[in-house]
Amino acid sequence: MNSTQPQVLVGSTDADYYLLLVHILESEGYRVILGSGVEEIVHLAGENDVKAILLDCRSGEDWTPLACVKLKQQPRTFGIATVGLIGPGAEGRFIDLLKAGIDENFVRPVAPSKPLGFLRDHILCRPGSDAMAINGHILAYAGIELNTNRHSVKRFGIDIHLGPIEFRLLQFLMENRELACSRAQLIEAGWPERRFVDAKTVNVHIGRLRRALSVANGPDVIRTVRSSGYMLDGSNQEQSHHEPNRPDEETGG
C-alpha cells in the first residue's frame, strides 16, 4: 500500500464494524490502523502520522469520551480531527463527546459520504500546517488554531485566553492572512458596534494580541505594515520577531 496515503486511526472494540470501516476508507485511498482501548489509541495517535481518528461509540461502552479528552490534552494529538461514530442505543453519548472536545459526531446509521466528506475536507487543509486551514469553524495558521464555535485559541497546543476584541482581531487577521489589513478594517472587525475607536487603540490591542500569542517562545507572526496596518505573516518569522516598533504599539504611542 502507498505510504503517502493519509492514515486514519479507528478506535473500536467491534471487529466486524472495524472491517467495514477499513473497506470504506481504503476504497477512498486511506490507510487504516486499529486501536481498541484508550491508552492504545492515544499511543498510536502520538506515534504515527495520523490525519484523523474515528471513535466507535457503542451502547454499553463509555470509554470514547475519555479517549477524546486524552487526545485533546496531548500536544502531539490535539489537532488531529476526531470523529464520533455513535451507534444505536448510545445516542446519550452525543453531548459527552461534545464536552470532551470531539470535532464532529455522526449518529448511525449514516451514509458513508458524510464522514468521508468531513475527512476529505479536513485532511486536505489540516490545522497546524503553515498554510491556512478553514474547516467550517476552524482557522489555523503558523501554529495558531482558532475555533470560532468554541471561542477558543491555541498555539503549539497551548491554550491562549483572549478578550473578545483580541479574538475578533485575530480571526480577521487569520481570514486575511498574508494580506495587509488597514486599521480601519481592523476597527470594523474588532468593534462591531462601530463606536469611536482611534488608531492608537488598535495598536494597543494588537500589542496585547502579540503578547498572548508569544507562548512557548513562538515567533511573532503579526507584522506591522508601515503607514497601513498589520498583517499575519508566517513566512519570515525570524525578522518579524524582532520588529523595532513593538514598544510603540504596546503603549499606543
Side-chain angles (χ1 to χ4, degrees):
M1 190 171 292
N2 190 339
S3 61
T4 63
Q5 293 173 302
Q7 186 166 238
V8 174
L9 170 62
V10 173
S12 179
T13 59
D14 185 304
D16 290 336
Y17 188 60
Y18 167 71
L19 292 174
L20 174 62
L21 290 176
V22 169
H23 173 73
I24 293 170
L25 292 167
E26 287 186 347
S27 68
E28 294 293 320
Y30 296 101
R31 290 184 297 135
V32 187
I33 56 175
L34 171 67
S36 56
V38 173
E39 298 304 325
E40 184 180 19
I41 289 169
V42 174
H43 173 75
L44 290 172
E47 295 299 319
N48 294 274
D49 184 22
V50 173
K51 304 299 185 184
I53 301 167
L54 304 182
L55 297 177
D56 176 19
C57 185
R58 310 185 69 79
S59 177
E61 298 182 348
D62 58 3
W63 58 269
T64 47
L66 177 59
C68 186
V69 167
K70 288 184 174 292
L71 288 166
K72 296 304 181 182
Q73 289 176 340
Q74 299 295 322
R76 297 186 65 179
T77 59
F78 86 96
I80 302 174
T82 307
V83 179
L85 299 173
I86 302 175
E91 292 83 1
R93 293 293 176 191
F94 189 98
I95 299 299
D96 294 336
L97 287 168
L98 287 178
K99 291 179 178 179
I102 203 81
D103 295 294
E104 184 61 275
N105 277 322
F106 294 100
V107 178
R108 307 202 308 265
V110 59
S113 59
K114 291 187 177 181
L116 287 173
F118 175 86
L119 294 178
R120 182 172 57 253
D121 293 343
H122 186 93
I123 290 173
L124 285 176
C125 49
R126 182 184 176 188
S129 67
D130 289 335
M132 183 67 179
I134 304 179
N135 178 34
H137 55 273
I138 296 175
L139 303 174
Y141 181 78
I144 304 166
E145 182 177 301
L146 182 148
N147 189 313
T148 58
N149 278 3
R150 298 175 187 153
H151 202 86
S152 64
V153 177
K154 295 176 183 284
R155 191 172 190 198
F156 306 126
I158 300 173
D159 288 317
I160 297 173
H161 301 287
L162 298 179
I165 293 174
E166 285 76 23
F167 185 91
R168 290 193 291 265
L169 291 174
L170 178 59
Q171 180 176 345
F172 185 79
L173 289 169
M174 293 185 75
E175 289 171 343
N176 298 276
R177 82 285 181 198
E178 301 177 12
L179 296 175
C181 300
S182 70
R183 288 178 175 84
Q185 289 175 312
L186 291 168
I187 289 171
E188 186 174 348
W191 289 265
E193 65 275 18
R194 298 179 184 275
R195 64 182 174 83
F196 176 75
V197 178
D198 61 17
K200 290 184 178 180
T201 302
V202 177
N203 295 344
V204 170
H205 283 277
I206 289 292
R208 293 177 182 173
L209 180 58
R210 273 196 166 116
R211 287 199 304 272
L213 293 175
S214 66
V215 294
N217 297 317
D220 186 1
V221 294
I222 299 178
R223 182 155 69 85
T224 301
V225 182
R226 194 170 300 278
S227 301
S228 178
Y230 300 94
M231 67 185 296
L232 206 62
D233 183 7
S235 63
N236 196 8
Q237 296 177 355
E238 291 276 332
Q239 292 182 12
S240 66
H241 188 48
H242 300 287
E243 285 182 343
N245 56 357
R246 193 192 304 179
D248 291 340
E249 293 161 6
E250 298 291 337
T251 60

